[in-house]
Structures are given as structure tokens and as C-alpha cells.
Amino acid sequence: MILVLTNPLKIDRKSRSELIVSFKSYTRNYNLRDITGVVILGSSTLLPTGVVSLLSSMNIPLVISNKLGVSISSPTLIVMLSEVREKQYKLTEEEKLEIARNFISARFNGLSNLLKYYKQDPPQLVDNNDLLVWEAINSRAFWDKMFNLFPKEVRNIGRKPRHSDTFNKSLSLTYALLYAICTRALLSFGFDPTYGVMHKSRYSTALSFDFSEMFKPIAIHAVIRAYKKGLSLDKEGELTKDSVSKVSKEFFDLISKKQNNETIYKAVYNRALKLSQYLRKKDKSIKYTFTYDPRKLS
């Protein structure tokens, strides 16, 4: 499971196999053998370095989402250099751009399918040779359409990751959950999550941000579903515990569904495997991207 913690006061280790999490009025223990990722929502948690080291030693990504943005701590230093990692470091700029464009193309195709699912016409992609310009122009066009699925106040605010409103907080939460899963998948197949193909080193795990692009329509879909059930913020401008539960439930419900006979969760790991195979063989027939289509979920 991914452990989602909202504004805990302190996270400490009870032993080498157990965390103890303190909140304002209670504490709770969590066994690390049941955890595949830890997501902390908030800015005031006391986190001893021993906890970070323990999570790292067990290949458990730590994701922190707060007003400063999203930070991911990955245990890359303890993973031995592999053939995959060697190939990753030797990618040319042209190869990086090709992989990045394929990731983003899959995201746009997934967003098109999501809009069609809600009976909305998707925008036509605008061509541009500059990857960042191409991504920015088309992202704005897709968000302009996507905001039709939300109340007017969401469009008025827009997508602002650091803004304290239910839409942006919810999307940041689902993205954080997605980053944790993607980071774990990439580590499982020998990648260095800090070495990206589009995002640069100022992002803690640049490849995780790149790789997750094609799965972001799922995170957005979860927010659409949760928003219809009513979401609210607490006095500190964070999602209430009930709202975090609603958003997380929708996200995990979607990734547990099957598309083309594999769950979305399994698809994340399978695409990390396919990407590793592609880097080793440079075989163009190996499909390492994923296109979300809610019409095909079962």
C-alpha cells in the first residue's frame, strides 16, 4: 500500500521494520513490509534522518507535497549500477527527446480519451519542433477543455500547484501518489529516477516526473470523480481528512481497474520493464508507453 499521511506531527521509527506516526491526538504504528511508498501532505512534520535512511534502505520512495510543491526522495544510491542504468546515462539528446515526446504524446492521447468519455471534443494537437513549446501549447489547450468538467470557480483559478483550493490540492495529491508508484517501478528495473529525459536535475527525481506523464490522465480522472462528491479544506488550507480519503479512494479504485487485461497499477510496472528492454535493445517495436482510455476499463 501507499501510506498517505495528512499533517502528522512526527514520523519516527519504532524498529527497523515499523514506523510510529504521531498526530495531534493519537499515534499509529505501520509495518514497513506492507508499505510501497510514503506520501506526506503538509509542511510541519518532524522527520528524523533515521527515518529517511530506513525508507531508503528498503527501497520505499518518500514523497512530500506542500505549498513549495512536490519533493521525492528516492533510494537510488543503494541500487547497484545495472545495464539499464548504463544505457540510461548514455542516451543522446535526440534519444531523450524522442522518449520524452512519446511520453507526452501518450498523455495527450489519454486526455483525449478522457474528454471523449465525458462527451467532450478534444482539441487538435498543434505541431512544434521545440518539445517544451509543443508541450506547453497543447497542455493549455487540453486544460481549457478539461475545465469544462469542473465548476466555474476551478477554471477561474486554473492549474496552480501551490494554490490552496480543493482542485489544486486534490490534483497535487493524486500526482504525488502517482509519482510514488512510478518511482518504485523505475527502481524495480534498474533506472536512476534522478536522471530524466525532459525534466532537469532541479527536480529530485526527474525521470519519475517524465515517466509519469503518460499516467497523469488517470490522476486527473480521479480528481474529476472525487470533486463530484464534495471536497473541502481545513483551517490550514489543506484538504480535510475526509477529502483526502475521497480523492485517494478514487485514485486507487481507478489504478486497480483493468484496461486490456492488465490493471493500471500493473501497467505502470510493465511499462517500466518495457522501457528497460527498449534501452537495452533499441528495438523500435518495443512499446513502452501507455494510453489511458476509461471507456475500456473493467
Side-chain angles (χ1 to χ4, degrees), residues 191-223:
F191 288 97
D192 177 357
T194 69
Y195 190 82
V197 293
M198 182 178 74
H199 289 88
K200 302 303 180 183
S201 57
R202 68 185 182 89
Y203 295 91
S204 52
T205 49
L207 185 62
S208 297
F209 286 88
D210 293 330
F211 182 74
S212 66
E213 289 289 343
M214 54 188 168
F215 299 102
K216 284 186 175 179
I218 302 155
I220 296 170
H221 192 186
V223 174

Side-chain angles (χ1 to χ4, degrees), residues 5-273:
L5 303 169
T6 305
N7 291 321
L9 296 179
K10 183 180 180 180
I11 302 175
D12 213 336
R13 50 180 186 166
K14 187 176 182 180
S15 65
R16 284 195 57 82
S17 62
E18 196 169 13
L19 294 180
I20 181 168
V21 182
S22 301
F23 296 91
K24 289 183 179 179
S25 56
Y26 66 95
T27 60
R28 182 170 295 174
N29 295 354
Y30 298 92
N31 197 307
L32 287 173
R33 70 168 177 265
D34 301 321
I35 298 173
T36 58
V38 177
V39 175
I40 302 174
L41 307 178
S43 306
S44 304
T45 303
L46 180 61
L47 191 65
T49 56
V51 173
V52 179
S53 297
L54 178 60
L55 294 174
S56 178
S57 69
M58 300 187 72
N59 275 355
I60 298 175
L62 171 64
V63 181
I64 300 174
S65 178
N66 54 38
K67 294 179 181 179
L68 296 178
V70 177
S71 174
I72 307 173
S73 173
S74 69
T76 55
L77 293 179
I78 66 168
V79 180
M80 294 181 65
L81 186 67
S82 65
E83 180 186 0
V84 171
R85 191 162 297 195
E86 290 179 8
K87 297 291 186 181
Q88 181 185 359
Y89 294 150
K90 292 179 180 178
L91 284 171
T92 66
E93 289 303 313
E94 291 76 15
E95 289 171 332
K96 289 181 185 179
L97 289 174
E98 180 184 2
I99 293 172
R101 189 174 286 266
N102 287 338
F103 286 158
I104 298 170
S105 292
R107 190 233 297 177
F108 289 148
N109 290 334
L111 290 175
S112 292
N113 290 334
L114 182 57
L115 286 167
K116 292 175 183 177
Y117 176 76
Y118 284 105
K119 312 301 181 184
Q120 297 282 325
D121 293 327
Q124 294 294 321
L125 285 177
V126 177
D127 291 330
N128 193 292
N129 291 330
D130 187 299
L131 177 65
L132 296 180
V133 174
W134 174 75
E135 191 274 339
I137 292 174
N138 289 294
S139 288
R140 285 195 295 269
F142 271 99
W143 272 118
D144 186 61
K145 292 284 188 176
M146 204 63 64
F147 285 135
N148 292 334
L149 304 177
F150 292 93
K152 185 178 179 180
E153 61 266 20
V154 173
R155 178 184 291 276
N156 292 339
I157 295 171
R159 173 56 180 151
K160 298 177 181 178
R162 300 179 185 180
H163 198 274
S164 291
D165 66 279
T166 53
F167 166 72
N168 280 292
K169 287 293 182 181
S170 298
L171 193 56
S172 292
L173 169 56
T174 57
Y175 279 2
L177 295 171
L178 181 60
Y179 296 149
I181 294 172
C182 289
T183 300
R184 187 68 182 266
L186 290 167
L187 287 168
S188 297
F189 294 101
F191 288 97
D192 177 357
T194 69
Y195 190 82
V197 293
M198 182 178 74
H199 289 88
K200 302 303 180 183
S201 57
R202 68 185 182 89
Y203 295 91
S204 52
T205 49
L207 185 62
S208 297
F209 286 88
D210 293 330
F211 182 74
S212 66
E213 289 289 343
M214 54 188 168
F215 299 102
K216 284 186 175 179
I218 302 155
I220 296 170
H221 192 186
V223 174
I224 293 172
R225 289 170 41 151
Y227 216 87
K228 293 179 179 179
K229 297 183 177 181
L231 302 175
S232 57
L233 302 177
D234 59 22
K235 295 180 180 179
E236 297 177 354
E238 300 292 341
L239 289 172
T240 62
K241 185 176 181 180
D242 179 63
S243 295
V244 169
S245 178
K246 288 178 181 177
V247 175
S248 301
K249 183 178 183 301
E250 295 296 339
F251 177 81
F252 288 114
D253 179 64
L254 285 175
I255 67 169
S256 67
K257 292 184 181 297
K258 288 185 176 181
Q259 179 179 313
N260 298 330
N261 297 319
E262 66 175 351
T263 64
I264 304 298
Y265 183 83
K266 185 177 179 180
V268 175
Y269 280 79
N270 281 344
R271 296 315 178 276
L273 170 61

Side-chain angles (χ1 to χ4, degrees), residues 262-287:
E262 66 175 351
T263 64
I264 304 298
Y265 183 83
K266 185 177 179 180
V268 175
Y269 280 79
N270 281 344
R271 296 315 178 276
L273 170 61
K274 292 293 185 182
L275 182 62
S276 70
Q277 293 172 339
Y278 171 76
L279 291 191
R280 292 199 305 269
K281 301 177 181 179
K282 294 295 176 63
D283 183 351
K284 296 287 186 179
S285 67
I286 297 177
K287 184 180 178 181

